[in-house]
């Protein structure tokens, strides 16, 4: 059995004080969660949020990590910097990073390997655009992203995959539960072919396309879906906690 994982992705939202207030509001609402609960926060919020999460069942994540240990990479954050503040998870290759900041399958791979070496759990994002889906390229795109992005990974059970159809992020559009389940099934099948079937069966694969309090139960009921990477709904304690408590 794969344990579900619900991770909030705050993106560029919440000052440190706002972030502390949010996690303090979320924490009492998710104490009986049966899934792993994670909040991935802006780098500048990490020290304050890390302190606020002590004694809770919420784990801390970052939104990015650089692949070098140190050096002339102005504005970047290393794995060691994240680890010192108790970060356990890190989002890698989010579509917004690919679209706006030049992230490629190659840099996703380098960041993923660095995170794993440092003992962080990568949440590796894959997904197709609307054009790619409409032209029948979904499987080819996902296969390339998985093959190139996970090259050299020795144990895929130490990472999480987030399937985020780019056309359903922040748009209010959501893949149907059946669409999401089918595509995540393809991701798992591909992982089995690239690595091993037994390993693929253990990998947790999230859905990351506008999961919210209204649709989480249907999505989480699907056999292949092991959680959600939550954007907008993670910024409100009632909404995020409702998703975390999807099975209540």
């Amino acid at each position: 059995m794969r344990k579900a994982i619900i991770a909030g992705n705050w993106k560029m939202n919440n000052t440190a004080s706002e972030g502390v207030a949010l996690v303090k509001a979320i924490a009492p609402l998710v104490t009986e969660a049966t899934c792993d609960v994670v909040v991935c926060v802006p780098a500048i919020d990490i020290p304050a949020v890390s302190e606020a999460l002590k004694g809770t069942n919420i784990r801390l994540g970052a939104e990015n990590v650089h692949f070098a240990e140190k050096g002339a990479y102005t504005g970047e954050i290393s794995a060691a910097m994240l680890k010192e503040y108790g970060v356990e998870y890190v989002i890698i290759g989010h579509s917004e990073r690919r679209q706006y900041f030049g992230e490629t399958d190659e840099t996703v791979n380098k960041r993923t390997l660095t995170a794993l070496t440092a003992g962080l759990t990568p949440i590796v994002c894959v997904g197709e655009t609307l054009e790619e889906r409409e032209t029948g390229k979904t499987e080819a795109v996902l296969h390339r992203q998985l093959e190139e992005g996970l090259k050299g990974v020795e144990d895929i059970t130490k990472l999480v995959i987030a399937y985020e159809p780019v056309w359903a992020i922040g748009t209010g559009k959501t893949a149907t539960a059946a669409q999401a389940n089918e595509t995540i099934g393809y991701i798992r099948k591909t992982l089995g072919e690239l690595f091993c079937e037994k390993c693929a069966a253990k990998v947790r694969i999230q859905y990351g396309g506008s999961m919210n309090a209204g649709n989480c139960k249907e999505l989480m009921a699907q056999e292949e879906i092991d959680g959600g990477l939550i954007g907008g709904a993670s910024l409100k304690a009632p909404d995020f906690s409702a998703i975390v408590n999807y099975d209540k």
Side-chain angles (χ1 to χ4, degrees), residues 63-135:
E63 297 178 12
N64 195 21
V65 63
H66 199 265
F67 43 78
E69 289 186 15
K70 59 177 65 177
Y73 300 100
T74 301
E76 291 293 331
I77 305 290
S78 73
M81 294 172 183
L82 297 178
K83 293 266 294 182
E84 187 164 298
Y85 280 104
V87 171
E88 297 179 46
Y89 293 83
V90 60
I91 298 171
I92 296 176
H94 191 279
S95 63
E96 290 159 1
R97 298 295 310 176
R98 295 177 190 258
Q99 180 179 356
Y100 302 128
F101 303 105
E103 194 82 73
T104 65
D105 294 334
E106 181 183 1
T107 58
V108 166
N109 180 239
K110 292 168 73 172
R111 294 179 201 275
T112 299
L113 294 175
T114 293
L116 288 169
T117 299
L120 295 168
T121 299
I123 299 176
V124 182
C125 300
V126 297
E128 80 284 11
T129 65
L130 182 60
E131 180 186 6
E132 288 165 344
R133 173 165 280 271
E134 290 181 340
T135 54

Side-chain angles (χ1 to χ4, degrees), residues 2-185:
R2 299 181 297 268
K3 187 177 183 181
I5 174 171
I6 303 293
N9 175 19
W10 290 3
K11 308 188 181 184
M12 196 177 71
N13 293 291
N14 292 329
T15 63
S17 59
E18 290 169 342
V20 167
L22 178 56
V23 296
K24 286 185 175 180
I26 293 171
L29 302 178
V30 301
T31 55
E32 298 182 3
T34 57
C35 62
D36 287 337
V37 187
V38 184
V39 288
C40 298
V41 310
I44 200 167
D45 292 0
I46 287 173
V49 172
S50 177
E51 189 67 27
L53 290 179
K54 289 180 178 177
T56 75
N57 61 329
I58 304 173
R59 309 271 64 86
L60 181 60
E63 297 178 12
N64 195 21
V65 63
H66 199 265
F67 43 78
E69 289 186 15
K70 59 177 65 177
Y73 300 100
T74 301
E76 291 293 331
I77 305 290
S78 73
M81 294 172 183
L82 297 178
K83 293 266 294 182
E84 187 164 298
Y85 280 104
V87 171
E88 297 179 46
Y89 293 83
V90 60
I91 298 171
I92 296 176
H94 191 279
S95 63
E96 290 159 1
R97 298 295 310 176
R98 295 177 190 258
Q99 180 179 356
Y100 302 128
F101 303 105
E103 194 82 73
T104 65
D105 294 334
E106 181 183 1
T107 58
V108 166
N109 180 239
K110 292 168 73 172
R111 294 179 201 275
T112 299
L113 294 175
T114 293
L116 288 169
T117 299
L120 295 168
T121 299
I123 299 176
V124 182
C125 300
V126 297
E128 80 284 11
T129 65
L130 182 60
E131 180 186 6
E132 288 165 344
R133 173 165 280 271
E134 290 181 340
T135 54
K137 297 176 183 175
T138 296
E139 292 188 356
V141 169
L142 293 173
H143 192 284
R144 186 202 75 229
Q145 291 175 336
L146 292 167
E147 184 173 24
E148 297 299 321
L150 303 182
K151 190 177 295 182
V153 172
E154 294 182 359
D155 185 356
I156 59 169
T157 65
K158 292 185 177 180
L159 52 80
V160 175
I161 301 293
Y163 168 56
E164 43 158 25
V166 178
W167 49 273
I169 298 171
T171 63
K173 295 181 180 180
T174 310
T176 65
Q179 282 177 323
N181 190 65
E182 179 183 8
T183 308
I184 289 175

Side-chain angles (χ1 to χ4, degrees), residues 215-232:
N215 62 26
C216 62
K217 288 184 185 295
E218 183 182 12
L219 287 163
M220 291 299 295
Q222 303 302 308
E223 181 180 358
E224 297 289 355
I225 299 177
D226 304 315
L229 182 59
I230 315 300

